[in-house]
Amino acid sequence: MSTITESVEVGVPVTDAYNQWTQFETFPRFMEGVEQVRQLDDTHMHWVTKVGGVTREFDATIVEQIPDQCVSWRSDAGPDHSGKVTFDKVDARTTRVTAKMNIDPEGFVENVADKLGVLDRRVKGDLKRFKEFIEERGGRETGAWRGSVESTTEQSTAQGPSTRAGKPGAGIRPGEPGVSGLVPDDPDSGGLSPKTDPRPPL
């Protein structure tokens, strides 16, 4: 198992950077080698990756999530890896995003001599592309999940509304604890937007 740590400063407020990262199904748009991420429920995902011509599928569990602070996960089976992404406010318009990955290189890179070096460059590139992705949108995240996941020794418990990619607005009630000011948009769309946000729905 090897540990890789990389950081990038993103020119958006911490809430926008964090909100975008909670939309796991958008990961293939900026993560190299990630073919698909499917959100199964608030704490479980199914990944499809392709590295060195080899396709792998595995499930992962969100083990801790604190709004505007961090997201942590671990694989359930398949390639052995876990990670934690933290979000630190630099100023009102800048956020430092730090990814700390614990990865088994043998499980992710096939037939490459410098496996750790390849993964290190990949994580660095993913953060750079995330920066470009959110900044090019002017900080307008594609969605948000403002609930929390509290880590325990046995399992993680999700608290808050189910608003991740693929199931926007499920279970939302205005004023519900953990909603953090999110209210339904057009009832037909099932979307969400902050109550004070004048921007049109995406």
Side-chain angles (χ1 to χ4, degrees), residues 1-171:
M1 184 70 70
S2 300
T3 299
I4 299 170
T5 303
E6 296 288 347
S7 296
V8 68
E9 289 195 357
V10 179
V12 300
V14 65
T15 294
D16 292 345
Y18 170 85
N19 284 350
Q20 183 59 61
W21 199 274
T22 68
Q23 303 306 289
F24 303 122
E25 292 186 358
T26 66
F27 281 5
R29 298 173 70 174
F30 55 84
M31 285 189 174
E32 183 181 358
V34 177
E35 299 283 300
Q36 181 186 52
V37 177
R38 189 169 73 252
Q39 189 76 44
L40 304 178
D41 57 35
D42 287 336
T43 58
H44 298 92
M45 303 172 286
H46 182 76
W47 289 65
V48 179
T49 63
K50 188 173 184 180
V51 179
V54 177
T55 299
R56 295 182 181 274
E57 297 192 31
F58 60 93
D59 292 331
T61 298
I62 303 298
V63 295
E64 183 181 24
Q65 186 163 341
I66 304 173
D68 299 341
Q69 295 185 35
C70 70
V71 179
S72 301
W73 70 93
R74 58 170 168 73
S75 59
D76 298 331
D80 187 9
H81 82 113
S82 62
K84 183 172 187 176
V85 177
T86 58
F87 304 84
D88 297 297
K89 178 180 178 180
V90 176
D91 57 41
R93 295 291 305 173
T94 309
T95 303
R96 181 178 298 107
V97 181
T98 301
K100 183 177 182 179
M101 310 291 188
N102 299 305
I103 301 174
D104 172 16
E106 295 290 341
F108 276 90
V109 183
E110 305 291 335
N111 302 317
V112 179
D114 184 14
K115 293 181 173 66
L116 187 57
V118 169
L119 291 172
D120 183 80
R121 291 190 294 274
R122 178 156 294 182
V123 173
K124 183 179 295 185
D126 290 346
L127 288 180
K128 179 181 178 181
R129 286 184 291 274
F130 173 74
K131 170 184 172 71
E132 295 169 349
F133 177 78
I134 187 68
E135 288 182 351
E136 286 175 359
R137 299 179 58 82
R140 295 177 59 193
E141 67 272 23
T142 60
W145 192 76
R146 302 298 298 175
S148 62
V149 177
E150 296 182 357
S151 179
T152 67
T153 56
E154 296 296 327
Q155 63 182 1
S156 296
T157 302
Q159 298 181 345
S162 299
T163 61
R164 294 199 199 269
K167 50 178 183 176

